């Protein structure tokens, strides 16, 4: 059993015009506080005021007022809300305890109309109640974003693996080039030695030799430049082929994509907005209907309580035995049958159930439309990306073609220049030193080859360094990928974890409470989490479902499965409360909501109420319970009591 650390702060509440309260101020301490009184003594209204201070909108304004206020002081902190009636609608402002009261409304504020509490008796979708606070769309979007990041890392890791395979061949090529450089250097040294010996024997003027050397140097430079241009041309042509291939692939993919009109996405957005407005309107109607039902039930209970007093001892016995019960209608002021009011309340319940069904249908349609919009947006985004890349590729193709044209023109110019220099060198040659000129040409070629080889080695060494740097990042990339996989796994199992925890919490607490309250004819009440194919709009999907099982036990210790409909009102109320407690614990509501409220426990006998209150008090700092005086008498005398509201 979990342990809640009790706060030392008392709570002071000042209320005006909420429910049936005109103006009141109360203070309660941490632990259990009992609101003791008869029906229609504003106990539920005070609970509503507390809920309003925490941020709930499930609150009614006094019928003869247009504005209600509540202020709550907890220690040094103050929270306040103002509720105004405008055109029949209640609007709220102020600074409540919670920014979002969804979890509290479902699992902490357990008034009679609480949806989680009523879900069991109404055979509602228990799984939907538990999972309502979880934004599954946001979780899925986050999963898709993380998966995209992981895919990008996988591409980088695949590239690193490919680079690893390239590294040995590059290192081998570098070694081969270095060996070739040594050979060329040795050959060049031999040529230079031979030239030195020939120069000593050759009789030629210094000017002629200098001019020849200059021409040969020029010839060597131009040939080197020409070779570089040839290499650049080859590189640019390869790049052009690659770009043209990519352009063709992009155009093919673009043709395969269907056209996604922006208007269709906008129309879907408009439909989604309209459905949301319809759902909000339905939720508002359901809330108003619950308030009317609750109000009428309290008034009926008050009428039932006052009836024995109204039939005094001096009244004839025959009058006391009249079967019809009437009361003054609190709406129109005429005498009406209580049964007629009860019938109206039943119809209101049916109407409320119908509206809830309509709300669920609208939610299903909303889910379909949002999925369709996401699909269209993703396809449109892909089309935009392709078109943007196509523009880039076309620009690169144009730029590459211009470079090829410029390099081709430069190559032809160099060929012409080389031819002219070669002619000049031939004019300087004569029979006396033709052989030495050949040696110079060979030496020039060797120097050119040596420069080319050294440039290739430098290029390969740069490539090797780049590969080694990328390989060095492999460990960090793998760590990032593992972290992303863990996060994706956590998100994918988050829904399963919440569902399973809610089921486990319910089953554990239900077993404990059944034993604690002594329902001898019930062997077990438990929830089974199963996967079923259900229809969502026009699709069938696999979805978790919570099946509630009721196991009875006969006097002969024979067990059999029963239905929730055959449970007593007391058993259904207890089951509903435990289901709400399971949601309270599964979503860790106690982390943000330190308070729980309870009322309408009359269907449960006093001793069991006492045990139930003591059990629930272990799970929150403040527990407010509305009770009749005879039920309160069975509870611990140490509990704080509020009797005047």
């Amino acid at each position: 059993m979990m342990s809640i650390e009790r706060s030392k702060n008392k709570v002071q509440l000042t209320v005006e015009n909420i429910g049936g309260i005109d103006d009141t101020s109360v203070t309660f301490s941490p632990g259990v506080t009992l609101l003791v009184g008869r029906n229609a003594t504003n106990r539920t209204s005070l609970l509503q005021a507390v809920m309003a201070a925490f941020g709930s909108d499930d609150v009614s304004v006094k019928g003869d007022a247009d504005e209600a206020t509540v202020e709550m002081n907890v220690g040094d902190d103050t929270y306040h809300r103002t509720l105004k009636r405008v055109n029949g609608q209640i609007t709220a402002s102020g600074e409540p305890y919670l920014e979002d009261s969804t979890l509290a409304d479902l699992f902490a504020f357990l008034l009679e109309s609480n949806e989680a509490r009523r879900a069991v008796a109404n055979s509602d979708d228990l799984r939907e109640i538990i999972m309502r606070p979880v934004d599954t769309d946001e979780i899925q979007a986050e999963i898709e974003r993380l998966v995209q990041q992981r895919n990008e890392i996988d591409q980088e890791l695949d590239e690193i693996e490919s680079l690893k395979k390239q590294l040995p061949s590059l290192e081998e090529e570098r070694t081969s080039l270095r060996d070739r450089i040594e050979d060329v250097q040795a050959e060049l040294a031999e040529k230079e030695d031979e030239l030195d010996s020939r120069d000593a024997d050759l009789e030629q003027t210094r000017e002629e030799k200098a001019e020849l050397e200059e021409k040969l140097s020029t010839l060597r430079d131009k040939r080197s430049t020409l070779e570089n241009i040839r290499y650049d041309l080859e590189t640019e042509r390869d790049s052009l082929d690659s770009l043209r291939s990519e352009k063709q692939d992009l155009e093919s993919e673009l043709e395969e994509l269907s056209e996604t009109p922006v208007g269709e996405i906008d129309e879907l957005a408009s439909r989604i907005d309209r459905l949301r407005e319809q759902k909000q309107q339905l939720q508002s109607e359901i809330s108003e209907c619950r308030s009317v039902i609750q109000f009428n039930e309290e008034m009926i209970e008050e009428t039932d309580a006052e009836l024995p007093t109204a039939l005094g001892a001096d009244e004839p016995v025959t009058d006391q035995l009249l079967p019809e019960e009437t009361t003054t209608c609190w709406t129109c002021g005429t005498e009406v049958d209580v049964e007629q009011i009860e019938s109206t309340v039943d119809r209101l319940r049916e109407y409320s159930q119908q509206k809830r069904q309509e709300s669920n249908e609208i939610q299903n349609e909303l889910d379909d439309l949002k999925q369709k919009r996401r699909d269209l947006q993703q396809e449109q985004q892909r089309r935009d990306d392709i078109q943007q890349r196509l523009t880039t590729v076309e620009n690169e193709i144009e730029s590459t073609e211009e470079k090829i044209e410029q390099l081709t023109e430069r190559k032809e110019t160099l060929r012409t220049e080389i031819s002219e220099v070669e002619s000049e060198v031939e004019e300087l040659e004569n029979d006396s030193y033709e052989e030495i000129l050949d040696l110079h040409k060979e030496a020039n070629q060797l120097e050119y080859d040596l420069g080319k080889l050294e440039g290739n080695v430098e290029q390969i060494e740069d490539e090797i360094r780049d590969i080694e740097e990328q390989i060095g990042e492999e460990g960090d990339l793998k760590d990032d990928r593992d972290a992303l996989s863990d996060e994706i796994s956590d998100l994918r199992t988050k829904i399963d974890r919440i569902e399973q925890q809610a089921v486990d919490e319910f089953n554990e607490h239900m077993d404990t409470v059944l034993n604690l309250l002594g329902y001898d004819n019930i062997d077990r009440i438990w929830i089974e989490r199963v996967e079923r194919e259900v229809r969502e709009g026009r699709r069938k999907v696999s979805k978790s479902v919570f099946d509630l099982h009721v196991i009875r036990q006969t006097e002969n210790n024979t067990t059999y499965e029963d239905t929730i409909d055959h449970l007593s009102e007391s058993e259904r109320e207890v089951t509903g409360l435990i289901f709400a407690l399971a949601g309270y614990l599964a979503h860790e509501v106690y982390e943000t909501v330190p308070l729980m409220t309870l009322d309408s426990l009359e269907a449960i006998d006093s001793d069991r109420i006492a045990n139930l209150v003591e059990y629930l008090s272990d799970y929150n700092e403040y527990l407010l319970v509305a009770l009749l005086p005879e039920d309160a008498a069975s509870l611990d005398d140490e509990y704080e009591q509020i009797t005047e509201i």
Side-chain angles (χ1 to χ4, degrees):
M1 178 177 294
M2 65 183 295
S3 176
I4 295 293
E5 182 179 351
R6 298 290 185 192
S7 169
K8 296 181 180 180
N9 294 320
K10 289 188 175 183
V11 177
Q12 182 177 3
L13 201 71
T14 303
V15 186
E16 184 176 351
N17 293 333
I18 289 184
I21 297 175
D22 289 322
D23 185 11
T24 192
S25 178
V26 298
T27 302
F28 55 89
S29 304
V32 178
T33 299
L34 306 180
L35 311 182
V36 182
R38 290 293 171 188
N39 290 326
T41 54
N42 292 329
R43 295 170 302 147
T44 300
S45 297
L46 184 61
L47 295 180
Q48 284 188 350
V50 174
M51 292 161 54
F54 269 82
S56 176
D57 293 328
D58 192 11
V59 181
S60 60
V61 176
K62 197 169 184 291
D64 59 356
D66 292 327
E67 181 176 305
T69 60
V70 58
E71 181 175 287
M72 181 174 69
N73 295 299
V74 184
D76 296 331
D77 298 320
T78 299
Y79 310 93
H80 60 86
R81 295 285 297 287
T82 298
L83 307 171
K84 293 183 179 181
R85 196 194 315 274
V86 180
N87 297 326
Q89 300 291 327
I90 302 299
T91 60
S93 60
E95 297 182 2
Y97 188 94
L98 302 171
E99 292 184 3
D100 183 356
S101 67
T102 301
L103 285 170
D105 286 330
L106 279 173
F107 305 119
F109 300 152
L110 306 183
L111 306 189
E112 184 178 18
S113 59
N114 173 266
E115 194 168 355
R117 182 175 168 182
R118 298 268 64 81
V120 173
N122 295 336
S123 298
D124 290 338
D125 185 345
L126 302 183
R127 189 261 180 194
E128 189 277 331
I129 297 290
I130 288 292
M131 298 309 298
R132 186 179 300 170
V134 180
D135 190 340
T136 54
D137 288 342
E138 182 180 351
I139 291 175
Q140 186 58 40
E142 179 66 8
I143 288 174
E144 292 174 359
R145 186 184 68 81
L146 294 176
V147 168
Q148 177 63 29
Q149 289 185 12
R150 188 176 63 181
N151 290 340
E152 292 172 358
I153 290 178
D154 285 339
Q155 291 178 358
E156 293 184 56
L157 291 173
D158 289 342
E159 184 178 348
I160 287 174
E161 287 299 320
S162 176
L163 292 174
K164 284 181 179 179
K165 296 176 182 178
Q166 296 177 25
L167 192 57
S169 62
L170 288 172
E171 291 174 339
E172 183 179 346
E173 185 177 357
R174 179 179 62 182
T175 300
S176 176
L177 286 171
R178 286 174 175 173
D179 292 341
R180 177 63 180 149
I181 286 173
E182 291 179 0
D183 293 341
V184 173
Q185 286 174 336
E187 189 176 354
L188 179 60
E190 291 177 1
K191 293 293 180 186
E192 289 174 343
D193 290 342
E194 187 175 354
L195 278 171
D196 290 341
S197 64
R198 292 294 183 93
D199 284 343
D201 298 333
L202 184 65
E203 293 181 1
Q204 66 180 54
T205 63
R206 184 173 299 175
E207 293 80 4
E208 290 174 338
K209 183 178 180 181
E211 184 180 358
L212 181 60
E213 289 289 346
E214 182 181 352
K215 295 295 182 183
L216 290 173
S217 176
T218 300
L219 185 61
R220 181 184 61 201
D221 292 341
K222 289 185 180 294
R223 282 174 176 165
S224 176
T225 302
L226 180 61
E227 185 63 25
N228 289 335
I229 289 176
R230 287 197 186 101
Y231 178 80
D232 291 342
L233 265 174
E234 183 180 353
T235 301
E236 292 297 334
R237 284 172 180 147
D238 290 342
S239 176
L240 183 60
D241 291 340
S242 177
L243 288 169
R244 286 172 174 168
S245 177
E246 182 180 0
K247 179 185 177 184
Q248 186 176 2
D249 292 342
L250 290 171
E251 288 173 342
S252 298
E253 185 176 355
L254 189 61
E255 289 177 0
E256 293 174 359
L257 289 175
S258 60
E259 196 70 35
T260 304
V262 176
E264 185 175 355
I265 296 176
D266 293 340
E267 174 60 22
L268 285 174
S270 298
R271 290 173 62 189
I272 288 170
D273 290 339
R274 288 196 298 271
L275 287 174
R276 283 175 173 161
E277 291 175 0
Q278 292 177 24
K279 184 178 178 183
Q280 290 174 356
Q281 181 61 33
L282 285 172
Q283 292 295 333
S284 177
E285 292 180 16
I286 292 170
S287 177
E288 291 178 2
C289 192
R290 281 203 304 264
S291 298
V292 172
I293 291 171
Q294 179 180 338
F295 176 74
N296 279 274
E297 286 175 342
E298 290 183 356
M299 297 304 296
I300 291 172
E301 290 174 358
E302 181 178 3
T303 299
D304 292 341
E306 293 174 354
L307 186 59
T309 305
L311 299 176
D314 295 335
E315 187 176 358
V317 174
T318 55
D319 291 344
Q320 297 182 38
L321 297 178
L322 285 175
E324 294 186 355
E325 296 179 8
T326 64
T327 186
T328 300
C329 177
W330 38 85
T331 302
C332 62
T334 61
E335 290 292 324
V336 295
D337 291 342
V338 174
E339 291 182 357
Q340 182 178 352
I341 297 176
E342 292 174 340
S343 175
T344 300
V345 172
D346 290 338
R347 288 196 298 274
L348 285 173
R349 289 194 186 98
E350 293 175 0
Y351 177 78
S352 177
Q353 183 65 26
Q354 176 187 348
K355 292 301 178 182
R356 280 197 295 269
Q357 181 64 29
E358 291 178 12
S359 177
N360 291 336
E361 292 173 356
I362 287 176
Q363 183 61 50
N364 289 336
E365 187 175 355
L366 266 175
D367 293 340
D368 286 344
L369 290 177
K370 287 192 284 187
Q371 181 61 45
K372 184 175 181 181
R373 182 177 64 177
R374 281 195 297 272
D375 293 342
L376 289 176
Q377 287 173 337
Q378 289 173 358
E379 188 169 342
Q380 183 61 40
Q381 182 61 47
R382 180 55 185 158
R383 172 176 287 277
D384 293 342
D385 292 344
I386 291 174
Q387 290 174 337
Q388 183 177 358
R389 179 56 186 162
L390 262 176
T391 301
T392 301
V393 168
E394 289 169 351
N395 292 336
E396 290 178 358
I397 288 174
E398 183 178 352
S399 175
T400 303
E401 288 175 340
E402 290 177 357
K403 289 180 182 177
I404 290 174
E405 184 178 355
Q406 293 170 359
L407 287 170
T408 301
E409 292 176 356
R410 178 61 178 149
K411 182 182 72 172
E412 295 303 322
T413 301
L414 271 174
R415 281 178 173 173
T416 301
E417 293 175 356
I418 288 172
S419 178
E420 293 173 352
V421 173
E422 286 177 341
S423 298
E424 293 173 358
V425 169
E426 288 176 359
E427 291 177 0
L428 290 172
E429 291 177 344
N430 55 45
D431 294 338
S432 62
Y433 58 88
E434 182 177 352
E435 185 177 353
I436 197 170
L437 288 178
D438 290 338
L439 287 174
H440 275 290
K441 289 181 180 178
E442 292 173 6
N444 287 338
Q445 184 62 42
L446 287 172
E447 288 178 351
Y448 169 76
D449 292 342
L450 183 61
K452 190 70 175 176
L453 288 170
E454 289 173 343
N456 290 341
V457 168
E458 185 177 350
Q459 182 179 352
I460 289 176
E461 287 179 339
D462 289 341
E463 191 172 350
I464 289 174
R465 279 194 295 272
D466 291 341
I467 290 175
E468 288 174 343
E469 288 177 2
Q470 293 184 61
I471 292 175
E473 297 173 358
E474 184 179 24
D476 292 337
L477 287 172
K478 287 183 176 180
D479 291 342
D480 292 343
R481 189 190 187 283
D482 291 341
L484 284 171
S485 295
D486 291 342
E487 192 171 354
I488 291 169
S489 177
D490 288 342
L491 286 173
R492 283 176 172 166
T493 58
K494 179 178 181 179
I495 295 174
D496 288 339
R497 288 200 309 271
I498 293 175
E499 289 181 358
Q500 190 58 52
Q501 184 178 355
V503 168
D504 292 343
E505 295 285 1
F506 176 87
N507 293 338
E508 177 184 350
H509 290 288
M510 199 71 239
D511 286 344
T512 302
V513 170
L514 284 176
N515 292 329
L516 182 66
L517 303 187
Y519 289 108
D520 296 332
N521 62 335
I522 298 179
D523 183 65
R524 187 184 179 198
I525 297 177
W526 60 292
I527 289 176
E528 180 183 14
R529 179 171 170 259
V530 296
E531 293 286 331
R532 287 196 187 133
E533 276 199 354
V534 298
R535 182 170 293 280
E536 281 192 354
R538 294 183 296 275
R539 299 178 302 167
K540 282 188 176 181
V541 296
S542 180
K543 211 170 187 181
S544 292
V545 177
F546 287 2
D547 282 346
L548 183 66
H549 298 278
V550 178
I551 308 300
R552 294 281 194 183
Q553 186 174 30
T554 65
E555 295 179 356
N556 299 326
N557 293 327
T558 301
T559 59
Y560 64 94
E561 185 159 353
D562 204 350
T563 65
I564 191 68
D565 297 333
H566 295 160
L567 291 177
S568 68
E569 187 178 0
S570 170
E571 293 163 345
R572 284 198 301 271
E573 288 294 335
V574 169
T575 304
L577 288 170
I578 297 304
F579 177 70
L581 177 62
Y584 182 86
L585 297 176
H587 288 286
E588 299 179 345
V589 182
Y590 50 83
E591 294 286 352
T592 54
V593 186
L595 176 141
M596 183 178 286
T597 63
L598 286 174
D599 79 339
S600 301
L601 302 178
E602 291 81 1
I604 308 173
D605 61 81
S606 300
D607 291 337
R608 284 173 172 153
I609 289 176
N611 290 331
L612 184 63
V613 168
E614 182 180 0
Y615 186 77
L616 293 177
S617 68
D618 290 326
Y619 298 95
N620 38 75
E621 296 181 39
Y622 304 88
L623 178 60
L624 301 182
V625 188
L627 292 176
L628 296 171
E630 54 269 27
D631 291 332
S634 299
L635 273 68
D636 194 327
D637 292 338
E638 294 183 359
Y639 291 159
E640 185 176 359
Q641 291 193 10
I642 297 176
T643 57
E644 296 294 333
I645 300 174

